[in-house]
Amino acid sequence: MEEYAREPCPYRIVDDCGGAFTMGAIGGGVFQSIKGFRNAPAGWRHRALGSLTAVKMRAPITGGNFAIWGGLFSTFDCGMVYLRKKEDPWNSIASGAVTGGVLAARSGWAAMAGSAVIGGVLLALIEGVGILITRMSAEQFKPISPTEMEDPSQLPPKPQQSPPFGGQPAYQ
Amino acid sequence: MDRSQTPPSSPFNFYGAQDPSMNVPLTSSGSSFSPYLNIDPSYLNQGGSEFIFPTEKRTRGRFELAFSQIGSSVAAGAIYGGVNGLRLGLSETAELAWSKPKYVQLLNLTLKRGAATANTLGVIALFYSAFGVLYSSSLFFDVDDERSTLLAGTSTGLLFKSTAGLKGMARGGGVGFGLAALWCVWQNRDRVKSSLGVNQTL
């Protein structure tokens, strides 16, 4: 399996859309298979059929919803990178909020505001966790601060007299 | 001292081993240490390739391309289905004046048709990518070539139509195999063209 690196910006939209679709379809498939199994009438045959039908009916819809979310989010993210000329967590948070708002556009202003808040908070949580993990994993690479290093006691003290030839260090 | 007697040691080294105007050897022949440099100049350019990056052709693997393929399939399905739904809606509400019900009907048809087509195409692309990754992995062929493309296309058709009975499965597998074969021919069109051209001249 090759190393997976993120695409540059305009192509990232398609990539994120596909990734979100995959995630949603597989996750929705697992979820719906369990749900269909439990909701079907008793008997192994009924349960298996119910599970299969539920997956067939609902998993692509979950995938599609995820794909719309991912694609729209990535579009807004790239647009903000283009407008602000920088990439930071605020881009993602604002994109999440805008995506949530736009996707609820047909349900009225109150629903739009609620979805926008949910989207923004969700993305802020994701970004926050990412930053936290980066901080924690960076802690072990932190160098020892130079102020803590003192004159080693087991060595003789620094010579105080000036070197010969006028203090010019000879490099060769 | 003549320049022609001391030709450059390599095509990238424009200066000879000796500077004719200064009469001082740039690279002393005995120790190969230049008097002007702290390092042995023979390390610098040994006439080999001077590229940092590996220059061999690198193609992207199937897993790397999978998300882009699925995403473009979803987008293509959404555009196609949306346009189709809009066309259908316009023809169905042709007698309505421009009003709220007509607008809602158009929006509903566009969005629902678009979503349905996008989901279908996305699932097909997902199946194909998953089978392609599986077949070109070390479990099966270990190389990414036409065999995995053909087999992945056939398997995708079979799986997508797996609830439509044996006849439907056969049809789906056939369609998948046909599309994969067309794709293989398109990818190797130069070879195909040359072989056809040879046949035509004969």
Side-chain angles (χ1 to χ4, degrees):
Chain A
M1 212 169 275
E2 293 89 359
E3 182 196 1
Y4 183 68
R6 244 180 140 198
E7 299 270 330
C9 220
Y11 310 101
R12 189 185 291 176
I13 299 170
V14 176
D15 216 59
D16 279 1
C17 186
F21 185 89
T22 309
M23 207 159 39
I26 293 176
V30 171
F31 180 74
Q32 293 296 337
S33 66
I34 296 170
K35 200 177 156 198
F37 190 86
R38 287 168 58 92
N39 285 348
W44 279 103
R45 197 181 153 74
H46 285 141
R47 294 218 181 268
L49 269 180
S51 179
L52 187 64
T53 314
V55 170
K56 219 175 84 176
M57 300 289 288
R58 305 289 313 174
I61 295 176
T62 318
N65 289 344
F66 267 64
I68 289 174
W69 226 98
L72 212 55
F73 170 79
S74 204
T75 309
F76 286 131
D77 202 27
C78 282
M80 261 173 225
V81 168
Y82 179 76
L83 287 179
R84 296 181 63 216
K85 306 282 181 217
K86 58 179 172 181
E87 287 190 59
D88 58 2
W90 291 112
N91 277 351
S92 302
I93 296 170
S95 309
V98 174
T99 306
V102 166
L103 286 182
R106 293 190 75 185
S107 324
W109 286 106
M112 274 178 85
S115 289
V117 168
I118 290 174
V121 167
L122 211 66
L123 262 298
L125 281 179
I126 292 172
E127 291 288 329
V129 168
I131 291 171
L132 217 66
I133 288 173
T134 313
R135 283 268 171 87
M136 272 155 62
S137 57
E139 195 70 24
Q140 57 182 320
F141 297 114
K142 200 175 161 191
I144 303 160
S145 116
T147 54
E148 289 168 16
M149 287 173 84
E150 289 173 2
D151 210 16
S153 55
Q154 72 269 31
L155 291 178
K158 253 201 243 171
Q160 292 301 314
Q161 76 271 27
S162 63
F165 308 116
Q168 289 274 341
Y171 286 119
Q172 280 191 329
Chain B
M1 218 169 274
D2 200 37
R3 191 176 271 257
S4 62
Q5 284 177 350
T6 56
S9 57
S10 86
F12 297 104
N13 191 358
F14 301 114
Y15 306 104
Q18 288 178 318
D19 193 337
S21 62
M22 291 177 75
N23 203 10
V24 167
L26 290 178
T27 315
S28 56
S29 52
S31 67
S32 81
F33 257 99
S34 165
Y36 306 124
L37 293 173
N38 232 348
I39 49 166
D40 187 354
S42 66
Y43 284 126
L44 289 180
N45 184 11
Q46 301 191 320
S49 80
E50 297 201 325
F51 298 104
I52 296 171
F53 296 106
T55 48
E56 78 225 38
K57 193 178 156 223
R58 185 182 168 277
T59 52
R60 293 182 164 204
R62 278 184 188 263
F63 186 72
E64 234 177 322
L65 284 175
F67 287 162
S68 308
Q69 285 170 350
I70 295 168
S72 35
S73 301
V74 171
I79 291 170
Y80 173 77
V83 169
N84 217 9
L86 186 64
R87 198 177 51 78
L88 197 74
L90 281 176
S91 71
E92 269 191 9
T93 61
E95 69 272 14
L96 273 169
W98 189 256
S99 56
K100 182 116 188 188
K102 177 168 179 168
Y103 163 73
V104 169
Q105 176 90 331
L106 283 182
L107 205 56
N108 276 338
L109 268 171
T110 307
L111 291 181
K112 296 211 162 160
R113 292 282 167 138
T117 320
N119 290 348
T120 310
L121 274 186
V123 164
I124 290 174
L126 178 60
F127 284 167
Y128 174 73
S129 295
F131 278 124
V133 169
L134 180 71
Y135 288 140
S136 55
S137 73
S138 53
L139 283 176
F140 281 83
F141 298 131
D142 215 3
V143 279
D144 187 8
D145 60 359
E146 282 77 24
R147 286 178 302 174
S148 40
T149 305
L150 289 175
L151 212 56
T154 314
S155 313
T156 304
L158 287 178
L159 180 61
F160 189 72
K161 283 286 170 193
S162 58
T163 52
L166 277 181
K167 210 183 259 180
M169 269 176 89
R171 215 179 298 142
V175 169
F177 181 82
L179 287 177
L182 278 182
W183 173 244
C184 285
V185 169
W186 173 251
Q187 275 199 314
N188 297 319
R189 57 193 177 280
D190 293 339
R191 263 196 283 167
V192 173
K193 220 182 276 175
S194 69
S195 66
L196 282 181
V198 167
N199 287 343
Q200 279 164 3
T201 49
L202 282 173

